Amino acid sequence: MSTSTSPARAALDASADDGTVGDHLGSTEEAPGLVTERFACLLPGYRGWYWAVSTSVLGDEVTINDIVLLPGDDAIVAPAWTPYRERIRPGDLGPGDVLPPEEDDIRLVPAWSAGDGDGTGVVDRHYAREIGLGREWVLSLEGREDAAERWYEGESGPDTPIAKQAPGVCGTCGFLVSLAGDLSDRFGVCANKMANADGRVVALTHGCGAHSGTRPKRSASASKLPDPVFDTMRAELEDF
């Protein structure tokens, strides 16, 4: 059967706009009696796409099942869809925005479970006190370690340039507000309004120039100044 007069081509010509159907590109037998005919697409902006006409063949009877436009190997297509949750970054939330946690978020556990310990039978007693106090979920061990790692690697960690040149660490600073719980041995909150980290969690091994133990440097003793070009210190008498 000539493809130019085949039922597939006739159905495609009747469905597509004039001038948008090109040459026959081939056919594929998907299953016994199920054949897909492919035709070039001439639509502007659809380079590399093709028309696919699915047909069922039973004896001399041909039934048109579907007509679709599909991308070929060289087609220009939109990039793969990235879910909203994977695109959002810290700091993207604005007033009125909501971002519920995943249902299976490993960072959270029910408060009644008290963290379920660390896998060795050791129960997280600190978070056990949350039972009945209103919080349905609390941080899991994985959630706390994830936060600790992120904070250490962030701007308030020990490896930043400002921390490496600081006169002291936050753990010995009078402006540090202590935390309670599992992370208290590694982090606190800066309460120095003059510090870059004011109001933020800082590692105890972080530091900055606003440490409470910082003392002003004493200036070196002034060296003797050279005699002035014009002597303005001594009086000179002139005879008239």
Side-chain angles (χ1 to χ4, degrees), residues 63 72 128 156:
T63 302
S156 298

Side-chain angles (χ1 to χ4, degrees), residues 8-226:
R9 179 63 187 247
L12 180 56
D13 287 338
S15 300
D17 294 337
D18 293 341
T20 62
V21 181
D23 298 334
H24 182 255
L25 301 177
S27 59
T28 303
E29 186 175 8
E30 311 290 352
L34 182 62
V35 178
T36 298
E37 302 284 354
R38 302 188 306 278
F39 299 86
C41 174
L42 304 180
L43 278 168
Y46 282 81
R47 187 184 69 190
W49 289 64
Y50 65 91
W51 294 102
V53 183
S54 175
T55 63
S56 294
V57 182
L58 182 61
D60 295 334
E61 296 292 330
V62 178
T63 302
I64 305 299
N65 300 322
D66 201 5
I67 299 175
V68 293
L69 188 60
L70 298 176
D73 295 337
D74 300 326
I76 299 176
V77 295
W81 168 253
T82 302
Y84 173 76
R85 184 174 295 277
E86 297 179 14
R87 285 185 282 123
I88 195 169
R89 292 291 179 268
D92 286 348
L93 290 179
D97 293 339
V98 294
L99 184 65
E102 298 281 1
E103 293 184 2
D104 56 350
D105 195 327
I106 194 175
R107 299 171 301 171
L108 296 173
V109 292
W112 56 263
S113 74
D116 288 336
D118 58 1
T120 62
V122 179
V123 178
D124 187 349
R125 297 297 181 186
H126 173 73
Y127 284 88
R129 71 178 185 175
E130 291 289 347
I131 300 176
L133 297 183
R135 286 209 295 174
E136 181 180 0
W137 298 91
V138 295
L139 277 173
S140 64
L141 291 172
E142 293 86 354
R144 297 198 295 278
E145 290 306 313
D146 176 69
E149 181 178 352
R150 186 172 62 254
W151 294 343
Y152 262 119
E153 294 177 353
E155 296 181 358
S156 298
D159 298 325
T160 59
I162 193 173
K164 290 181 177 180
Q165 299 184 35
V169 296
C170 294
T172 61
C173 182
F175 293 108
L176 183 79
V177 177
S178 299
L179 296 178
D182 185 67
L183 297 177
S184 60
D185 61 337
R186 289 173 283 177
F187 300 95
V189 176
C190 177
N192 186 347
K193 68 178 182 179
M194 303 305 296
N196 295 347
D198 179 40
R200 300 206 303 263
V201 173
V202 292
L204 299 184
T205 49
H206 181 66
C208 73
H211 189 280
S212 62
T214 302
R215 296 294 179 265
K217 295 181 179 180
R218 295 182 177 179
S219 60
S221 58
S223 58
K224 183 180 179 180
L225 297 177

